[in-house]
Amino acid sequence: MIRFTVNGERLETDISPTTPLLWFLRDNLSMTGTKFGCGMALCGACTVLVNGEPVRACSMPISAMAGKRVVTIEEIGKTPVGKKVQDAWIAEDVVQCGYCQSGQIMSATALLTKNKAPTDTEIDAAMSGNICRCGTYNRVRAAIKTAAASGSAASAPATKAARKAKASS
């Protein structure tokens, strides 16, 4: 029996220990926010947090979750940093097709939980495992900076909506 926590709920399962965490989340818990992208931990669409660290759920066997805490996109907005990241994603109009966004948000939340004011280089390093086929990388970086600055209005970068309003006046 494998015992672990998902989004604050203690679980135990006797599913095959080699089952990828992604399929347990999607098929057994109906948590479909975590996406299947490549199946080889290369694209980041399946990113979840395990004990606060970003992990690719498509290649992580469920047996490795024993005694650990998993947080998915379904729960991340209930955390202070996750809520700031999600709000910034909307403010910066990051989403295009949206497929990679749950993984992007999870990686960004992990970064900002550890580093309240990351540099561009630190953002790039933290987000390097997350691929966006639509190429919204500049908006992702802007959203991370907006989320980082959200506690300080004076230093907060202008959101996309604020930049548009300023340009039209």
Side-chain angles (χ1 to χ4, degrees), residues 132-148:
C132 176
R133 295 182 340 179
C134 301
T136 65
Y137 300 109
N138 290 334
R139 294 192 308 233
V140 166
R141 182 183 292 123
I144 291 169
K145 288 180 175 183
T146 296

Side-chain angles (χ1 to χ4, degrees), residues 64-142:
M65 296 301 100
K68 300 204 172 137
R69 294 178 328 279
V70 177
V71 177
T72 69
I73 191 68
E74 286 85 358
E75 185 77 7
I76 202 68
K78 295 176 184 173
T79 69
V81 175
K83 174 77 169 116
K84 287 179 184 182
V85 170
Q86 287 180 335
D87 289 347
W89 241 247
I90 293 166
E92 294 296 338
D93 199 20
V94 173
V95 179
Q96 195 159 326
C97 84
Y99 199 80
C100 69
Q101 296 306 300
S102 60
Q104 299 269 5
I105 288 170
M106 298 305 288
S107 291
T109 300
L111 168 64
L112 291 175
T113 298
K114 292 179 185 167
N115 183 346
K116 305 294 185 210
T119 65
D120 284 348
T121 302
E122 291 166 330
I123 292 170
D124 291 347
M127 302 304 291
S128 68
N130 294 87
I131 296 172
C132 176
R133 295 182 340 179
C134 301
T136 65
Y137 300 109
N138 290 334
R139 294 192 308 233
V140 166
R141 182 183 292 123

Side-chain angles (χ1 to χ4, degrees), residues 1-4 10-17 24 62-67:
M1 196 64 72
I2 302 163
R3 292 177 180 86
F4 61 108
R10 296 175 146 257
L11 302 175
E12 57 181 54
T13 183
D14 60 359
I15 195 167
S16 170
F24 178 78
I62 194 81
S63 60
M65 296 301 100

